[in-house]
Amino acid sequence: MIDYLVMGAGLSGLMSAYAAVQSGHRVKVIAKGLGALHWGAGSIDVLGYLPQARDAVVRRPLERLADLPANHPYTILGPAAVQDGLDKFMRLTEELGLPYYGAEAAGENLLLPSPAGALRPAFLAPAAQSAGTASDDAPMLIVGFERLRDFYPELIAENLTRQGIAARAVKLPYELLSDRRDANTVQLAQELDDENRTERLAEFLREAVRPGERIGLPALLGLARHAQVVTRLALAAGAPVFEIPTLPPSVPGIRLFNTLRAGLEARGVRVEAGMEVIEMNAEEGVIRWVASETSARPLRHSAERFVLATGGILGGGFMSDHTGRIWETVFDLPLTTPQSRSQWFRPAFLAPDGHPVFQGGVRVNAAFQPVDAQGAPCFANLHVVGGALAGCDPLAERSLEGLAIATGMNLLKE
Amino acid sequence: MHTTSWHSVGPSLDECIKCNICTSYCPVSAVTDLFPGPKYSGPQAQRFRESGQPDTPDQAVDYCSGCRVCNEVCPTGVKIAELNARARAQIAKEKGIPLRNRLLGRNELMGRIGHYAPRLANFGLHNAVSRFLAEKVMGIARQAPLPYWSTDGSFGAWFKRTQKERLHARQKVVYFHGCATMYYEPFIGKAAVAVLEHNGYEVIVPPQNCCGLPMLSNGEFAAAEGYHQRNVNSMAGLARGGYPIVGTSTSCTLTLKEEAPELLDMHSPDVTALKMGVWDIFEWLRELHEEGKLRTDFRPINLKLPYHAPCQYRAHRVGKPALEIMALIPELEIPESHARCCGIAGTYGYKTEKYQIGMDVGEELFQFVREQGDDVTMTACDSETCRWQLEHGTDLPSRHPIEVLAAAYGLYDLETRELTSQSNSM
Ligand code: SF4
Ligand code: SF4
């Protein structure tokens, strides 16, 4: 029998699996599908905005953790554990060849261009994105490609310029990326893994760039050979090269997923997708097994301990129906989410306080065990990590990945 | 508690959030412009498909290989591959089915015809002239890895002939061999019987016919229904009696479990009884192992054996049981392929217009095998057509994991693919 069964293969699930296997446990990860990481920008948000001051970007996230409510997962963990989790993440990604960096001024949020040319706060970013930081005053050349959807260099450059960042735009032929009629960002990234293609693109970049500029490109600079592609382009163009994330599917997110999955598998952890948990069995408050749906009989997974890392409403860990009922799909754990549709949303779409429906979740104790209304653990051997937790609003706060890393990496913390 | 999986195929499309994860992973749209990808051909085009509508919105869905990578990665449970299979059946109904697809759909008939005079049949099929003609007349790619008929008699003949030597025991298990084992690769069946008997089980081989999958994937639903019903008639009783029905062909077992009932909308109590009684042989052996009942008297096998789990395992949604069991064999090193598909996808890669797509899709796998180094002399995969494709793409012989297991028990020779004398004296 295995020691830990992790349900969910997003960042919180993978981090939990890593924490458990590093402590010498036998671990397996199962997931319904591949999600979260494939949508996100691949950067790590820790805290971008505080609940009480939604319009002011947090400059130094770790110093502001104390301003969060008492039931916030960061508060439950404590700042030292949050910091420790992030440090471990940086060491891990470095070891696995996909290093992440923070701002030059240690502890500050990076401000990085979004695909609309806005500046988004992020605490850590993959090397290829961090070179786009607004704190550097080198002017930007934003490069797009004809026929590439959802990436408009003129728009990005114009918006950046308005915010006081010198930027200009250029569009290159689509054929530099692919001979295909149409392809998505992941396929294009794979095409750039081909050295000949990288070389040709490099020539065009060398032509286009002016001295002193840095070059911003859509995030499709290679998949398996990403690091080599970026280095090669920068060397040949004679200018720093950085990536701006695109709309999903997100190549930087997929790189992170692939890298972490490979790292786990090298440590003997299997990550199985296509397995949706549909049944559970507990005796006297101890979960014995969960079962996933298959082509015939449900498949039982027994373990000593279970980790729920299935996310909240957006990740698919919670479901809702037309009456307004919202429930957690595996164990039907008690939720703090309002159970009436009229209380789900505030009137304004971009309400500064966020929407209650995204703020509810599973209430936990100090050991991250789900608890009932009286505060007693629902099950002795279940932990909850990541987006399913109550007391936070990961999207409005911009804390999704930080929460996943901090709660996952600290899974075995006493 | 409920999940999205109670959804039948059709309504599952409403779960689509347009994230395009499926398109990023689809191995076919990765190599050709002829197929726009799962999101477009599946949930998106499905909105425009009405029953009775004169023209389907897109013919491109014919290029979906049915590998189900999309189903596995979809975060919301859309049954994309099934939507595509139904759309293909609709096209077949409207346009008629070409002779080629009818032939490829009748693996069993071909098998039976050829096995009466296998040498002649092998020559008849595998010579340059007939392959040229097959390509020109029927559109079966000249280079595609078609199987060879067994020149050693069928599995059924062997099983009958050796009845007296077979183990008789209180514990019994039913074996579904499938057409490939019956006519082309009887040694797979022999290895399976040896492994099951070694673990103390008597093997029952009831009357059975083709599972119907080749017809399903070529859109011949009516014919497939007849085939499935006959299998149900023959085996539902055994399933009800509590006998596990195990198969070595991952695609046959998948069809009996899910493909036939789901695509053909067959849900009688007998169909369901059979569905619930069928196991992939390694899925069942893993269960046995978890109960502590699998014999583990393995001899070491000093071999580096790259393993590719076939697409059908993905569709079984049972993980990689063959890998888990083979991992118990001492000294056997098993690099695991993460390639999405070998490219053959049943009969897909046999078709002239799809042969090259199949080879391009398979390149990921062939390259993985090449990267394992020159000391690799053999690969392993559970599915017959995938193994033929693997051999075609890598020039290395490929084995079914059950052969590997039988060899580890000392019952089978991996090189010659014959049972050892030890097994015969069992
Ligand atoms: S089944 Fe395979 S080929 Fe067909 S759409 Fe899905 S991933 Fe693509
Ligand atoms: S992966 Fe699923 S949800 Fe996403 S686009 Fe494809 S079918 Fe839709």
Side-chain angles (χ1 to χ4, degrees):
Chain A
M1 187 159 54
I2 57 167
D3 301 312
Y4 279 86
L5 180 80
V6 179
M7 291 160 272
L11 196 50
S12 63
L14 300 178
M15 292 296 96
S16 307
Y18 175 74
V21 76
Q22 284 302 90
S23 304
H25 295 292
R26 283 160 306 172
V27 187
K28 185 164 84 173
V29 181
I30 60 173
K32 175 175 169 182
L34 304 181
L37 280 173
H38 293 60
W39 306 329
S43 48
I44 307 301
D45 295 345
V46 171
L47 189 64
Y49 302 92
L50 282 167
Q52 58 270 37
R54 299 273 187 204
D55 42 359
V57 173
V58 171
R59 274 194 50 204
R60 307 179 65 80
L62 295 172
E63 290 171 14
R64 303 303 297 276
L65 297 183
D67 299 336
L68 290 166
N71 64 342
H72 195 287
Y74 282 152
T75 314
I76 300 175
L77 280 173
V82 175
Q83 174 83 63
D84 183 53
L86 292 167
D87 290 347
K88 283 186 179 141
F89 173 81
M90 286 185 73
R91 281 200 297 275
L92 175 63
T93 46
E94 163 108 59
E95 171 206 316
L96 297 174
L98 187 72
Y100 273 66
Y101 297 111
E104 218 161 6
E108 283 194 7
N109 262 331
L110 292 153
L111 284 176
L112 302 173
S114 80
L119 289 178
R120 57 188 180 97
F123 192 66
L124 301 174
Q129 282 182 38
S130 58
T133 173
S135 68
D136 179 340
D137 51 14
M140 296 180 181
L141 170 66
I142 309 294
V143 176
F145 296 87
E146 305 283 350
R147 282 161 54 205
L148 180 67
R149 286 182 302 269
D150 303 328
F151 193 89
Y152 305 104
E154 300 86 356
L155 172 84
I156 299 173
E158 195 182 314
N159 278 337
L160 286 170
T161 309
R162 279 194 200 159
Q163 297 166 87
I165 296 166
R168 64 185 184 97
V170 63
K171 252 190 185 160
L172 297 180
Y174 175 83
E175 288 66 32
L176 282 175
L177 296 178
S178 173
D179 302 327
R180 303 268 310 266
R181 191 175 57 207
D182 187 24
N184 71 26
T185 45
V186 182
Q187 292 159 348
L188 294 175
Q190 274 167 314
E191 298 239 24
L192 274 181
D193 279 339
D194 175 351
E195 280 174 47
N196 297 329
R197 239 177 228 296
T198 312
E199 288 307 322
R200 264 207 297 154
L201 176 58
E203 276 169 39
F204 273 76
L205 294 180
R206 192 168 47 225
E207 289 288 306
V209 73
R210 291 179 195 152
E213 279 180 335
R214 49 187 163 150
I215 308 174
L217 287 142
L220 41 76
L221 305 182
L223 197 63
R225 300 185 64 254
H226 168 61
Q228 292 97 309
V229 173
V230 173
T231 313
R232 188 62 212 137
L233 290 178
L235 275 178
V241 164
F242 66 93
E243 283 190 320
I244 300 172
T246 62
L247 267 61
S250 155
V251 174
I254 293 178
R255 282 184 206 127
L256 180 58
F257 175 78
N258 290 347
T259 302
L260 294 176
R261 182 187 201 165
L264 283 171
E265 286 184 343
R267 288 166 166 84
V269 179
R270 301 200 61 78
V271 179
E272 312 258 24
M275 287 194 176
E276 180 181 8
V277 176
I278 52 165
E279 248 185 90
M280 59 83 82
N281 175 279
E283 280 165 37
E284 293 166 8
V286 177
I287 300 165
R288 300 289 174 203
W289 49 261
V290 299
S292 63
E293 183 258 6
T294 80
S295 48
R297 305 149 295 272
L299 176 66
R300 283 188 189 180
H301 309 265
S302 307
E304 296 288 342
R305 311 196 75 84
F306 294 80
V307 181
L308 187 72
T310 47
I313 291 257
L314 298 168
F318 302 165
M319 286 283 290
S320 64
D321 65 17
H322 64 280
T323 68
R325 197 168 77 84
I326 294 189
W327 64 99
E328 183 276 308
T329 57
V330 179
F331 301 102
D332 201 6
L333 297 171
L335 299 182
T336 62
T337 318
Q339 296 288 322
S340 149
R341 269 175 88 108
S342 59
Q343 291 161 27
W344 281 7
F345 302 107
R346 289 187 222 285
F349 179 65
L350 296 172
D353 292 336
H355 296 288
V357 69
F358 300 128
Q359 292 161 350
V362 180
R363 218 152 55 87
V364 292
N365 62 18
F368 281 78
Q369 294 176 300
V371 293
D372 60 21
Q374 284 71 46
C378 304
F379 299 101
N381 57 344
L382 176 64
H383 302 268
V384 181
V385 293
L389 293 165
C392 55
D393 186 347
L395 291 190
E397 293 165 7
R398 296 203 67 114
S399 61
L400 189 65
E401 296 85 11
L403 281 169
I405 292 171
T407 54
M409 281 291 194
N410 284 295
L411 179 71
L412 283 89
K413 184 177 155 263
E414 290 306 308
Chain B
M1 180 173 72
H2 92 234
T3 62
T4 46
S5 299
W6 88 101
H7 268 326
S8 51
V9 174
S12 78
L13 75 91
D14 287 333
E15 301 291 332
C16 177
I17 53 169
K18 310 288 174 220
C19 66
N20 256 320
I21 291 179
C22 53
T23 311
S24 318
Y25 281 84
C26 171
V28 173
S29 68
V31 300
T32 176
D33 274 341
L34 294 170
F35 184 57
K39 185 187 77 162
Y40 304 97
S41 281
Q44 222 133 287
Q46 188 64 21
R47 299 215 174 271
F48 300 94
R49 293 186 186 114
E50 277 282 334
S51 62
Q53 183 176 289
D55 277 308
T56 56
D58 70 311
Q59 304 292 329
V61 69
D62 185 44
Y63 280 89
C64 162
S65 75
C67 70
R68 290 186 201 72
V69 170
C70 49
N71 284 22
E72 180 182 68
V73 299
C74 172
T76 65
V78 181
K79 297 187 172 169
I80 313 162
E82 284 78 6
L83 289 171
N84 291 354
R86 288 191 173 179
R88 276 197 301 278
Q90 185 63 27
I91 295 178
K93 212 155 131 197
E94 284 157 14
K95 302 250 140 110
I97 296 158
L99 172 66
R100 180 217 33 209
N101 292 13
R102 283 192 192 276
L103 273 180
L104 289 176
R106 279 174 182 67
N107 191 9
E108 182 179 37
L109 183 66
M110 299 283 286
R112 206 181 301 150
I113 294 171
H115 106 281
Y116 291 117
R119 287 200 174 78
L120 186 64
N122 282 334
F123 176 74
L125 182 65
H126 293 276
N127 69 68
V129 178
S130 58
R131 290 301 297 266
F132 176 80
L133 285 176
E135 175 165 296
K136 287 294 161 237
V137 181
M138 288 189 299
I140 294 176
R142 200 180 319 178
Q143 315 89 318
L146 290 178
Y148 286 81
W149 280 277
S150 160
T151 50
D152 194 22
S154 71
F155 168 76
W158 171 82
F159 192 75
K160 229 189 227 146
R161 195 169 65 234
T162 58
Q163 255 320 300
K164 276 212 253 1
E165 303 156 33
R166 301 272 58 88
L167 178 73
H168 295 279
R170 196 178 47 80
Q171 295 177 305
K172 299 181 198 333
V173 59
V174 178
Y175 178 49
F176 188 86
H177 46 68
C179 309
T181 296
M182 188 68 173
Y183 299 112
Y184 306 117
E185 302 185 323
F187 38 83
I188 306 276
K190 295 179 195 175
V193 170
V195 166
L196 294 169
E197 290 185 351
H198 187 70
N199 280 287
Y201 282 82
E202 175 177 341
V203 179
I204 307 172
V205 179
Q208 50 189 278
N209 56 228
C210 171
C211 66
L213 178 68
M215 283 166 233
L216 283 173
S217 48
N218 285 299
E220 277 192 77
F221 279 22
E225 191 172 332
Y227 275 71
H228 188 58
Q229 190 58 53
R230 285 198 293 280
N231 279 328
V232 168
N233 296 346
S234 161
M235 289 181 290
L238 289 165
R240 282 223 173 81
Y243 296 109
I245 300 167
V246 305
T248 37
S249 166
T250 39
S251 57
C252 300
T253 47
L254 180 68
T255 306
L256 297 176
K257 278 176 171 186
E258 187 172 55
E259 292 293 279
E262 183 84 31
L263 290 174
L264 300 168
D265 250 326
M266 295 170 75
H267 301 291
S268 72
D270 276 358
V271 169
T272 307
L274 178 61
K275 170 192 172 91
M276 290 304 181
V278 170
W279 303 73
D280 164 71
I281 192 162
F282 275 94
E283 181 193 7
W284 186 75
L285 291 171
R286 178 177 65 184
E287 194 85 356
L288 213 59
H289 182 55
E290 265 161 29
E291 290 165 19
K293 292 197 232 150
L294 183 78
R295 282 181 65 169
T296 51
D297 50 341
F298 299 121
R299 305 175 178 189
I301 298 185
N302 189 316
L303 193 67
K304 185 170 179 185
L305 185 71
Y307 170 71
H308 174 70
C311 292
Q312 297 104 5
Y313 257 153
R314 192 177 289 129
H316 277 279
R317 309 189 285 288
V318 296
K320 295 183 177 177
L323 186 67
E324 288 175 42
I325 296 297
M326 283 196 293
L328 303 172
I329 301 171
E331 288 181 32
L332 182 63
E333 186 192 340
I334 320 170
E336 177 189 357
S337 142
H338 284 291
R340 289 168 284 186
C341 177
C342 71
I344 200 79
T347 57
Y348 183 90
Y350 290 150
K351 301 168 183 172
T352 309
E353 76 279 14
K354 300 186 180 106
Y355 170 79
Q356 196 51 49
I357 296 176
M359 291 303 283
D360 290 347
V361 167
E363 186 49 34
E364 204 173 293
L365 173 59
F366 310 149
Q367 194 187 331
F368 157 78
V369 174
R370 284 195 296 271
E371 279 166 4
Q372 300 311 310
D374 290 341
D375 53 335
V376 169
T377 54
M378 200 178 261
T379 65
C381 176
D382 311 69
S383 157
E384 51 277 352
T385 51
C386 305
R387 257 183 282 116
W388 302 334
Q389 171 87 342
L390 245 173
E391 295 183 335
H392 181 53
T394 64
D395 284 330
L396 293 172
S398 189
R399 296 293 180 260
H400 191 296
I402 201 71
E403 298 178 86
V404 180
L405 198 63
Y409 283 138
L411 308 171
Y412 190 80
D413 185 324
L414 268 185
E415 292 293 332
T416 62
R417 305 188 109 168
E418 278 167 16
L419 292 175
T420 57
S421 49
Q422 185 193 339
S423 68
N424 288 337
S425 63
M426 259 184 348

